[in-house]
Amino acid sequence: MLNFCTLFNINYLSRGLAMYESLKKHCCDFHLYIFPFDDKCLNVLQKMNLEHVTLISMSEFEDSELLRVKPSRTPVEYCWTCTSSTILYVIEKYAVKNCTYVDADIYFFGPPEELISEMGRTNKSVLITRHRYAPEHDRVETSGIYCVQFMTFKNNGLGMKVLRWWREACLEWCYAYCEDGKLGDQKYLDDWPSRFEGICDIEHLGGGVAPWNASLYDIFEKNKKVVGRDISTGKEFNVIFYHFQGLKFFRDGSLQFTGSEYKLSKYLRELVYWPYIKHIELMKRAVLKIDGSSDPHGPQEPSERRGPAVWETIKNIYRRKYYGNYNIYYDIEFKGLMRLTTWHI
């Protein structure tokens, strides 16, 4: 059995639920340990009584070391600080043979076993995934070679050595700015292949398709699967998961994709983005039936939506059309299943 863990608060609950349901669809034998980071999120999840899920409250999870550094971290920084500790908690508390951390805003389009099996074939103990930045979006210097989005640790000597080192490093320093080659919990991973034994630098291109590398691939449907083709080599691969970074929701019902520099093809939008948006909207409805006091999208006020002045908008439209880049807004109508009413570029 594969074991997964994730963490999120009420503002990411719809994403976390969609991730769980996509995992349930594509993984035959799994258990997911969820760390709800506020009471509202915990209460809703308790009422939902999800299959193959164990909920771990903050009162159970937080130890003296985490509580010591918590006042010095922003909410985002504290989540980053806790990532390694959630994995360690699951392995030690439940004595599982392996644990894979997954970000709440990833979504599975294929079986994660295809990724984790690389560890078995190479006899490694820790699996990490690269950003694989497209050249025009390269942020290795600031954000790191690897992405803390999907990471597997085996419960053995090598795996636990790396995990405990990472936890101690994050307790000492984990902030949302660059300093001495560090950034949050992520830049620590850069030298793991040389620092530690047993690191599996995953080769499967379907492990971590994201806005920052999507321009490297042609995305299409084949045999009812979402498939990618590496433009430079022609190699085809099953998309296992997509990382939906940069989606923001607003209280007027609109959605903004903030990464205006990223190129999203027509098929990527239709086969990847649109199914995901439909799914998280359905998850939002399910949550609101249980507790209507909080929006599980974590929406912001429309006034906070980033947007240039009128003439700048017109200029950006032509610029983005020329370069094939998109800044996406959705206006969503709730009539049965949603329908897309506007796609601004």
Side-chain angles (χ1 to χ4, degrees):
M1 182 172 70
L2 296 179
N3 301 284
F4 299 87
C5 69
T6 190
L7 61 90
F8 50 83
N9 61 16
I10 189 67
N11 294 329
Y12 260 64
L13 179 53
S14 57
R15 297 168 177 84
L17 287 170
M19 182 275 292
Y20 156 74
E21 290 204 343
S22 71
L23 181 61
K24 187 177 176 182
K25 178 179 179 180
H26 292 287
C27 192
C28 299
D29 188 16
F30 80 98
H31 197 85
L32 176 64
Y33 297 86
I34 299 178
F35 293 77
F37 263 46
D38 57 49
D39 289 339
K40 271 187 173 293
C41 187
L42 174 63
N43 292 336
V44 171
L45 288 169
Q46 286 174 332
K47 292 175 181 177
M48 297 186 85
N49 193 26
L50 303 173
E51 291 183 301
H52 315 298
V53 167
T54 295
L55 302 177
I56 300 167
S57 68
M58 294 299 283
S59 60
E60 296 175 81
F61 163 64
E62 289 179 302
D63 59 20
S64 59
E65 288 296 291
L66 288 170
L67 291 172
R68 176 180 60 83
V69 302
K70 188 174 184 178
S72 67
R73 312 283 160 92
T74 67
V76 170
E77 290 168 344
Y78 188 60
C79 285
W80 294 347
T81 302
C82 288
T83 301
S84 54
S85 295
T86 61
I87 307 165
L88 185 62
Y89 184 94
V90 169
I91 290 176
E92 292 186 335
K93 172 76 173 180
Y94 298 98
V96 297
K97 294 181 179 179
N98 57 74
C99 187
T100 301
Y101 169 80
V102 290
D103 268 349
D105 58 352
I106 74 171
Y107 190 81
F108 291 96
F109 291 90
E113 294 95 328
E114 286 192 29
L115 307 178
I116 297 172
S117 64
E118 280 196 28
M119 295 177 69
R121 293 197 300 271
T122 58
N123 196 29
K124 299 295 177 65
S125 298
V126 178
L127 181 147
I128 52 180
T129 55
R130 289 178 176 255
H131 279 107
R132 294 195 182 93
Y133 288 113
E136 65 270 24
H137 306 309
D138 191 351
R139 297 193 184 96
V140 166
E141 288 300 316
T142 54
S143 297
I145 300 169
Y146 302 97
C147 184
V148 177
Q149 57 183 349
F150 185 98
M151 304 174 65
T152 302
F153 292 83
K154 287 184 179 179
N155 185 3
N156 61 21
L158 290 175
M160 298 303 286
K161 177 182 179 180
V162 178
L163 184 55
R164 290 195 174 101
W165 179 92
W166 190 29
R167 168 181 151 90
E168 291 304 314
C170 290
L171 286 169
E172 180 178 343
W173 193 99
C174 189
Y175 299 99
Y177 56 83
C178 296
E179 182 179 282
D180 299 329
K182 303 187 293 288
L183 174 68
D185 59 345
Q186 192 157 266
K187 283 283 284 180
Y188 287 120
L189 280 60
D190 277 8
D191 70 350
W192 281 12
S194 59
R195 179 186 290 269
F196 300 108
E197 296 179 14
I199 304 298
C200 178
D201 185 348
I202 193 169
E203 296 181 1
H204 197 309
L205 297 180
V209 183
W212 52 81
N213 61 37
S215 64
L216 298 175
Y217 314 123
D218 289 324
I219 301 296
F220 56 96
E221 190 174 35
K222 185 176 181 179
N223 298 326
K224 297 184 178 180
K225 295 180 180 180
V226 179
V227 176
R229 181 188 295 114
D230 189 321
I231 294 172
S232 63
T233 66
K235 180 181 179 181
E236 290 187 6
F237 57 90
N238 293 330
V239 175
I240 304 301
F241 71 83
Y242 191 90
H243 194 156
F244 286 91
Q245 185 204 54
L247 295 180
K248 288 188 177 181
F249 295 86
F250 299 89
R251 297 189 192 280
D252 62 359
S254 63
L255 179 155
Q256 180 181 7
F257 176 65
T258 58
S260 60
E261 73 273 25
Y262 298 131
K263 181 177 181 179
L264 305 180
S265 70
K266 173 185 176 182
Y267 292 107
L268 184 65
R269 301 197 306 263
E270 292 180 353
L271 295 175
V272 175
Y273 274 83
W274 184 227
Y276 179 70
I277 291 165
K278 286 199 294 185
H279 199 160
I280 58 177
E281 285 292 338
L282 290 174
M283 294 300 94
K284 173 181 174 178
R285 289 187 186 187
V287 170
L288 292 179
K289 287 180 180 178
I290 297 171
D291 182 352
S293 64
S294 296
D295 189 328
H297 283 347
Q300 303 177 32
E301 295 297 335
S303 59
E304 299 177 71
R305 184 163 51 221
R306 296 194 315 183
V310 174
W311 288 111
E312 188 66 20
T313 299
I314 294 172
K315 185 173 73 173
N316 282 344
I317 286 173
Y318 285 100
R319 177 177 59 82
R320 288 171 185 147
K321 281 188 175 182
Y322 179 80
Y323 288 107
N325 295 338
Y326 297 87
N327 191 15
I328 304 167
Y329 296 79
Y330 292 90
D331 297 321
I332 298 169
E333 291 184 358
F334 300 95
K335 294 179 180 177
L337 284 179
M338 302 170 310
R339 69 183 180 88
L340 179 63
T341 59
T342 309
W343 189 293
H344 301 287
I345 61 173

